[in-house]
Amino acid sequence: MTTNTIDLRSDTVTRPTAEMRRVIAGAEVGDEVLGDDPTVRRLEEKFAALLGKPAACFVPTGTMANQTAIRAHTEHGDEIICSDGAHIIHYETGAPAALSGCMIRTIANPRGLFDVADVTPLVRQDAYHFPHSRLLTIENTHNRGGGTVWPLAQIERVTAEARKHKLKLHLDGARLWNASIASGVAMKDYARHFDTVSCCFSKGLGAPIGSAVAGDADSILRVQRFKKMFGGMTRQVGLLAAAAIYAMDHHVPRLAEDHANAKRLAELIANIPGLSIALAPVETNIVYFDIAQDVPLTGQQLSDKLKSQGVLMLATGLRRIRCVTHLDVTAPMIERAAQTIEQCVTGRVAIGV
Ligand SMILES: Cc1ncc(COP(=O)(O)O)c(C=O)c1O
């Protein structure tokens, strides 16, 4: 990869800025397992306050955040309700089954949204031969849905229905920062409807590692216990908590630039013959587009051609490509990326070059 490469594969590819590296180097640290890393404690307090929750737990990854929360809320044999495109189903190596022994009932929707009428029929009756419906999870923004922002009123309806059935509620908010910036809804106004909320510092916010789960004291005590059990309790991890604090303080409002860049990219792609894209779903920093049947390229072939021209994007389906904007992508890079896509699709860059 050269310095001219435009990397739109994911918002996880960002590297710590010079200032973030300076803050990491100066972080006060202690032994996290012994409970005395002051920077981790500061981060957990700050994150809990932002989400309006009594407690929080710093964890290494978004996957561990989701899986410790799922384990905290469920017992083996329980059932989870979520969208059929949820990250916890597709990209967490079957962990709800492997680590929590849970079954999952899914709701089909290309954008990752669902409503009360979808949830109610999935809740099991209380009879000894059924699994217990125990937990409902929502993903906001929804990754596979295209960075979808859940409308707050819809969250209120769905979570109220879930509560009626005594379900626990977890929000996979890996990109809740993006949802909040796009909608103007405060993080805590989303969070108040859930028992636990996980967010990542290592995606749009640009920290190298780290996520956190916020919730009530009992849930977070269990999250901490399972973090230790899953091997996620570390030692002088204040170095990383410092990066997360820096990211929360400096990199949240700028997510609006990523959203503007994603919209611009989508508009440019819409004008390229041979590609199709729905513009309305591009609400945050994720853009999906499809290659028409009459274009002699699969998603992987287009991605390979783009790579040969210094533009990285992910083929996520046979004829589908995903691009994600982030901290290291500027508006001029978006113009160049779109030109390169056009050249590759219209054949001005030969296959195999
Ligand atoms: C919605 C969502 N949740 C959870 C995760 C997991 O994060 P990590 O890769 O840090 O495990 C991701 C990662 O992309 C994600 O998009």
Side-chain angles (χ1 to χ4, degrees):
M1 201 169 0
T2 70
T3 47
N4 283 331
T5 302
I6 302 171
D7 194 345
L8 293 160
R9 287 172 301 170
S10 174
D11 48 10
T12 57
V13 300
T14 55
R15 290 145 209 248
T17 61
E19 186 55 17
M20 189 183 278
R21 286 170 191 260
R22 201 189 57 71
V23 167
I24 291 170
E28 242 190 296
V29 294
D31 188 318
E32 189 202 13
V33 179
L34 300 179
D36 57 20
D37 188 305
T39 312
V40 170
R41 281 212 302 269
R42 192 152 61 85
L43 168 67
E44 289 175 341
E45 279 163 22
K46 186 179 174 74
F47 181 71
L50 179 73
L51 292 179
K53 298 289 188 195
C57 177
F58 186 50
V59 289
T61 64
T63 299
M64 187 172 284
N66 283 334
Q67 297 307 325
T68 51
I70 288 172
R71 186 66 194 84
H73 293 310
T74 60
E75 295 302 334
H76 282 47
D78 284 349
E79 208 160 55
I80 300 169
I81 298 173
C82 64
S83 83
D84 67 345
H87 197 278
I88 60 165
I89 299 178
H90 294 279
Y91 307 115
E92 301 188 12
T93 63
L99 302 179
S100 297
C102 285
M103 309 212 299
I104 301 191
R105 295 196 101 181
T106 58
I107 299 168
N109 182 296
R111 310 252 348 252
L113 299 169
F114 49 84
D115 218 319
V116 172
D118 303 304
V119 172
T120 317
L122 296 190
V123 179
R124 305 278 187 175
Q125 301 300 308
D126 190 11
Y128 72 82
H129 43 244
F130 294 137
H132 282 127
S133 301
R134 186 77 67 189
L135 173 68
L136 181 134
T137 71
I138 282 177
E139 188 176 310
N140 189 20
T141 66
H142 197 284
N143 182 343
R144 263 167 82 112
T148 318
V149 179
W150 269 76
L152 185 59
Q154 196 163 338
I155 290 180
E156 284 166 2
R157 283 197 300 278
V158 166
T159 55
E161 175 67 9
R163 292 260 184 240
K164 267 204 267 171
H165 298 284
K166 300 197 168 29
L167 299 184
K168 290 284 184 179
L169 289 155
H170 173 67
L171 173 59
D172 177 354
R175 297 183 181 79
L176 193 63
W177 326 91
N178 296 80
S180 174
I181 289 293
S183 64
V185 174
M187 302 276 280
K188 55 167 78 149
D189 288 334
Y190 285 122
R192 74 172 83 249
H193 302 287
F194 297 87
D195 297 296
T196 49
V197 182
S198 57
C199 297
C200 295
F201 306 109
S202 59
K203 302 199 163 62
L205 297 203
I209 293 178
S211 294
V213 190
D216 60 274
D218 286 350
S219 296
I220 296 306
L221 207 59
R222 279 176 67 79
V223 163
Q224 273 164 346
R225 176 171 176 75
F226 293 116
K227 168 184 169 181
K228 176 70 175 155
M229 186 183 287
F230 299 163
M233 196 69 92
T234 55
R235 302 294 174 177
Q236 286 72 32
V237 73
L239 296 175
L240 298 174
I245 292 171
Y246 181 86
M248 285 172 77
D249 285 342
H250 295 92
H251 290 171
V252 178
R254 64 149 308 284
L255 292 173
E257 287 170 43
D258 297 345
H259 300 172
N261 283 338
K263 259 199 177 59
R264 174 72 181 150
L265 180 62
E267 285 160 6
L268 292 168
I269 289 170
N271 289 326
I272 300 176
L275 300 182
S276 68
I277 183 167
L279 293 180
V282 183
E283 298 177 276
T284 55
N285 67 331
I286 300 179
V287 177
Y288 280 94
F289 66 88
D290 294 296
I291 305 165
Q293 293 296 336
D294 58 355
V295 175
L297 284 173
T298 62
Q300 192 54 55
Q301 285 169 331
L302 178 55
S303 156
D304 291 345
K305 279 178 85 173
L306 286 164
K307 186 174 177 186
S308 75
Q309 304 303 305
V311 176
L312 305 184
M313 295 180 181
L314 274 189
T316 58
L318 189 60
R319 305 185 78 80
R320 178 156 261 230
I321 298 270
R322 186 188 82 166
C323 332
V324 185
T325 55
H326 53 77
L327 187 58
D328 296 344
V329 173
T330 61
M333 288 180 180
I334 291 295
E335 304 295 321
R336 212 186 98 209
Q339 279 164 13
T340 311
I341 299 171
E342 180 160 16
Q343 286 162 1
C344 291
V345 171
T346 57
R348 275 179 276 148
V349 174
I351 295 177
V353 172

